[in-house]
Amino acid sequence: MQKEKSIRCILEEREHKMLSPYATFSDMSKGREYSCEPCDIRPCFQRDRDRIIHSKAFRRLKDKTQVFLTPEKDHYRTRLTHTLEVSQIARSIARALMLNEDLTEAIALGHDLGHTPFGHAGERALNDICPNGFKHHIQSLRVAQVLEKHGKGLNLSYEVLDGIKNHQTSGKPETLCGKIVQMSDKIAYVNHDIDDAIRGGIITENDIPHEYTDLLGHSLRDRLNSIIHNIIMNSYGKDFVSMTPEFAAAMSGLRKWMFENVYTNPTAKGEEGKAESMIKSLYEYYLTHPHLIPGEYHEIIISRNEGIEYAICDYIAGMSDRYFVNTYQDIMIPKAWKF
């Protein structure tokens, strides 16, 4: 009697019938670092998506800074909401271009797993003090390959790891799904950071140069709609994913304007020096008190023949903003004497 096909096999066959010839197909993945039995229900990239969502690092993103440090109001973006917005944009583009939506979503959800507390301020601080520097996209890869599951990692597929590693501007992702996430990351943060900066009274919509908004749109909704449509119409049925040159130039100009007027704005970023100083102080403290680092980090560096500095960087990088502040206060701030 012929063995019945698994649901996974049926879904993999459907990909070949429905997706673009330029798509990355689940059953043609380059595989994982450690082989494992395929799931009978989920194709490999869907399985990767699930592993990322259920990881501890993903949950910690809910309390990590996007742009504004520990905002008191509810509606400012966090690193988690940023990740979800990147995923939504990327999935919309991938679906319209008939590319692999599972792969796209997995890369999007995993791209910032290694981000630090206090956003890029934390990244700058750790880059100054870690032995080989610190870049969040490399740390995201380390989280996925090493740190999760007590040193076992998530054992993600090659294509997902490639997309995570190459999501930064200078990266060169091997798949079109990776390219979509690379673009969606910038589309998301430029536009939602404008929204948050307006909410915080840093800028107004009218402050944004009209040379950009006349083309891209004069509101968050209009800009997202026009940019996503431009990418889809410019890339449909082709072996690349890109904006038209005029849209790419406007997006680049808008991003540069944001760096000059929001990302370095003293009102928005005035507290970041304190955050950097706190991170460096805690790092130095752990160098002389390494026994306070959780045991799992010691086990990882011992198994990989790395120094205690790596364990400290891993531990601090993984902290949420709130956990970092509580830890810092517990260690560094004198407590009232009780008798």
Side-chain angles (χ1 to χ4, degrees):
M1 183 176 178
Q2 188 175 3
K3 186 178 179 181
E4 195 172 310
K5 284 184 182 177
S6 69
I7 293 174
R8 185 199 79 250
C9 290
I10 294 170
L11 293 175
E12 289 171 347
E13 290 176 0
R14 190 172 71 179
E15 285 184 1
H16 285 277
K17 294 176 182 177
M18 296 181 63
L19 297 184
S20 162
Y22 305 116
T24 302
F25 299 100
S26 299
D27 61 353
M28 298 178 68
S29 169
K30 294 182 181 179
R32 308 176 187 277
E33 184 175 0
Y34 306 106
S35 61
C36 60
E37 190 70 24
C39 177
D40 61 339
I41 296 173
R42 299 166 297 168
C44 66
F45 302 136
Q46 182 185 347
R47 196 177 189 185
D48 287 348
R49 187 275 312 274
D50 295 349
R51 290 180 177 186
I52 290 168
I53 286 178
H54 290 291
S55 69
K56 292 186 294 184
F58 184 79
R59 294 196 293 275
R60 291 195 298 267
L61 296 177
K62 67 181 171 55
D63 192 32
K64 291 195 177 190
T65 292
Q66 173 58 27
V67 172
F68 296 95
L69 294 182
T70 57
E72 294 181 356
K73 296 184 179 179
D74 292 336
H75 297 141
Y76 291 94
R77 270 71 171 190
T78 65
R79 190 60 57 179
L80 178 60
T81 60
H82 160 73
T83 295
L84 296 176
E85 290 185 38
V86 173
S87 176
Q88 179 270 320
I89 292 168
R91 287 177 57 203
S92 294
I93 296 170
R95 183 179 295 184
L97 296 180
M98 293 185 288
L99 299 175
N100 195 311
E101 197 173 336
D102 287 337
L103 173 57
T104 304
E105 185 177 20
I107 296 170
L109 293 176
H111 83 281
D112 271 354
L113 288 178
H115 234 300
T116 61
F118 310 120
H120 289 287
E123 184 172 11
R124 287 193 300 270
L126 288 179
N127 189 50
D128 288 342
I129 56 183
C130 291
N132 291 325
F134 184 96
K135 301 295 181 186
H136 80 269
H137 65 282
I138 300 300
Q139 188 69 9
S140 295
L141 208 62
R142 183 171 170 86
V143 168
Q145 291 182 294
V146 177
L147 299 181
E148 277 290 322
K149 295 188 178 249
H150 301 280
K152 297 179 182 178
L154 299 175
N155 197 26
L156 303 178
S157 61
Y158 173 88
E159 292 80 5
V160 174
L161 293 173
D162 170 76
I164 291 173
K165 179 182 177 181
N166 288 289
H167 80 267
Q168 79 283 11
T169 302
S170 61
K172 299 185 186 305
E174 292 186 18
T175 66
L176 293 184
C177 295
K179 181 64 178 177
I180 288 172
V181 174
Q182 184 186 53
M183 297 177 69
S184 298
D185 184 32
K186 294 171 185 59
I187 295 167
Y189 75 66
V190 167
N191 284 287
H192 67 49
D193 291 350
I194 289 174
D195 190 47
D196 280 354
I198 292 172
R199 177 174 291 106
I202 306 300
I203 61 171
T204 69
E205 180 67 39
N206 289 332
D207 291 331
I208 307 171
H210 283 218
E211 62 183 292
Y212 309 134
T213 56
D214 285 347
L215 178 66
L216 301 178
H218 292 276
S219 70
L220 172 67
R221 177 183 179 278
D222 289 345
R223 280 188 288 273
L224 290 177
N225 187 57
S226 67
I227 293 167
I228 292 170
H229 272 75
N230 184 267
I231 293 171
I232 292 169
M233 294 301 103
N234 191 55
S235 310
Y236 190 83
K238 299 172 183 174
D239 63 351
F240 61 81
V241 178
S242 70
M243 301 178 199
T244 58
E246 63 269 26
F247 264 70
M251 264 296 294
S252 178
L254 182 58
R255 181 170 175 264
K256 181 180 178 183
W257 184 86
M258 285 291 289
F259 272 95
E260 294 170 350
N261 293 274
V262 174
Y263 300 139
T264 57
N265 183 288
T267 301
K269 315 299 276 183
E271 296 294 296
E272 287 191 348
K274 296 178 185 178
E276 293 181 39
S277 178
M278 289 167 64
I279 285 175
K280 292 178 180 180
S281 295
L282 194 59
Y283 176 87
E284 293 296 329
Y285 183 85
Y286 282 135
L287 279 177
T288 56
H289 301 79
H291 62 282
L292 295 178
I293 299 291
E296 64 185 87
Y297 291 94
H298 287 277
E299 293 169 6
I300 290 169
I301 63 168
I302 289 171
S303 68
R304 296 173 61 84
N305 196 29
E306 298 172 338
I308 189 63
E309 299 88 352
Y310 289 92
I312 298 171
C313 286
D314 287 336
Y315 183 43
I316 292 177
M319 292 180 178
S320 66
D321 293 15
R322 183 183 297 111
Y323 184 85
F324 179 91
V325 170
N326 290 340
T327 301
Y328 184 88
Q329 288 178 336
D330 187 54
I331 290 174
M332 300 295 191
I333 306 300
K335 298 176 178 63
W337 182 69
K338 297 179 181 179
F339 62 92

